[in-house]
Amino acid sequence: MINPGSAPVSAPALTSAPAVRTAGAAHTARSVRKAVIPAAGLGTRFLPATKATPKEMLPVVDKPAIQYVVEEAAAAGLGDILMVTGRHKRAIEDHFDHAFELEQALAAKGDTVRLDAVRAPARLAAIHHIRQREPLGLGHAVLCARHHVGDQPFAVLLGDDLIDPRETLLSRMLEVRDQHAGSVVALMEVDPAQIHLYGCAAVEPTGDDGVVRVTGLVEKPAREDAPSSYAVIGRYVLDAEVFGVLERTRPGRGGEIQLTDALQELAAGGTVHGVVFDGPRYDTGDKADYLRTVVRLACDRPDLGPAFLSWLKEFVAAAESDGAAPGRRIAA
């Protein structure tokens, strides 16, 4: 169990389990076939843009953020995806459905490139939807998936955490689940000054490269109470045992049922492992990081990157030379 009053454990203590990048060929998941994507939040950090548009549908270049998440799940071999949505989230369902009129119009024009792009979301996986009727927190949203998931292990992917498409973090987590059973969380080392923004894990090495045993979890601790600098990021592979724990988990921080609190109980029983990740991750729930995400992914695109990067360099040079004086125009 975590001792909230204990001194933080520094990351270098885990010398036998260094962070690993997970770039490489994706591995096919065997014991896990289903994924759950909680998408019921109100998106208050992005108001007024999210007043009528779900935050998950905000575009990252030319795809909504949630499509990147679904693509990640599908690439890891998870072909059955349940989205837990809320009221006013119909746009998400529509995006992953066929748009007959639009497809017909594009086909009539012979615009095969855009036609393929429009059809792609509906072809990624078997996608299902259920509503979280009350905003009772992430733990409650996961609990809403119980009937769909049954007694099988499943993955949870948060829609505002994007993992670079070239990384295979989720596939690595599925491998660890197959090796150790129980549940697996994704961990990333963060600046201790930022740990209060995350769930934080107390960990110990396992001897397996980049894999740790999670001995405790605490939701958004103060810096002085954090058991380490390892933050839980938005990827989980959970044993169905978590549902029974969530049913008896009382509302915690923010008056919500916290998934972290349920995982703390499982961790105390020795059944939670962590995969340490140090690859590119984008938090599209934060305005500044959302902008950085768009820029980074646009620069990586072969059809957009060269011209956009050239313009960006000119823009930055102008800003540095004259402080981007009001009225200064940079050629498009």
Side-chain angles (χ1 to χ4, degrees), residues 120-307:
R123 295 175 171 176
L124 288 170
I127 298 177
H128 313 271
H129 303 268
I130 190 173
R131 281 190 176 181
Q132 182 185 20
R133 296 180 179 178
E134 299 178 78
L136 297 179
L138 176 59
H140 180 262
V142 171
L143 188 57
C144 289
R146 185 174 196 172
H147 180 73
H148 183 83
V149 170
D151 60 357
Q152 299 300 310
F154 61 104
V156 175
L157 298 85
L158 302 191
D160 54 5
D161 252 351
L162 301 191
I163 302 299
D164 191 284
R166 293 163 294 192
E167 302 288 341
T168 56
L169 168 63
L170 183 56
S171 292
R172 177 62 176 141
M173 294 175 68
L174 295 171
E175 288 179 349
V176 172
R177 155 68 201 189
D178 284 343
Q179 293 166 2
H180 299 283
S183 297
V184 184
V185 298
L187 301 175
M188 176 172 277
E189 188 175 1
V190 301
D191 185 328
Q194 300 297 312
I195 197 65
H196 68 283
L197 301 174
Y198 300 89
C200 179
V203 299
E204 60 185 28
T206 64
D208 190 0
D209 190 34
V211 179
V212 296
R213 181 173 292 104
V214 176
T215 59
L217 290 149
V218 59
E219 179 68 14
K220 297 181 178 178
R223 178 175 181 170
E224 60 272 16
D225 296 330
S228 76
S229 57
Y230 283 100
V232 180
I233 59 175
R235 297 295 180 271
Y236 310 80
V237 178
L238 302 178
D239 191 88
E241 181 184 9
V242 76
F243 291 128
V245 179
L246 284 169
E247 275 193 327
R248 60 178 181 269
T249 298
R250 299 183 64 82
R253 191 178 182 90
E256 298 180 338
I257 298 174
Q258 298 290 347
L259 180 59
T260 303
D261 292 342
L263 289 174
Q264 155 63 16
E265 182 173 330
L266 297 179
T271 61
V272 180
H273 286 79
V275 172
V276 181
F277 179 68
D278 69 351
R281 166 200 173 245
Y282 313 111
D283 180 7
T284 60
D286 174 79
K287 291 179 183 178
D289 212 20
Y290 171 80
L291 295 173
R292 287 189 285 266
T293 301
V294 174
V295 171
R296 288 168 180 164
L297 294 183
C299 288
D300 285 341
R301 289 267 296 262
D303 59 332
L304 297 174

Side-chain angles (χ1 to χ4, degrees), residues 64-98:
I66 197 168
Q67 184 171 333
Y68 290 87
V69 178
V70 174
E71 290 172 348
E72 179 188 352
L78 306 180
D80 186 323
I81 297 174
L82 176 68
M83 294 189 181
V84 182
T85 63
R87 295 178 59 200
H88 312 303
K89 298 278 184 160
R90 181 63 183 271
I92 297 176
E93 296 183 31
D94 290 343
H95 181 72
F96 291 97
D97 197 359
H98 288 286

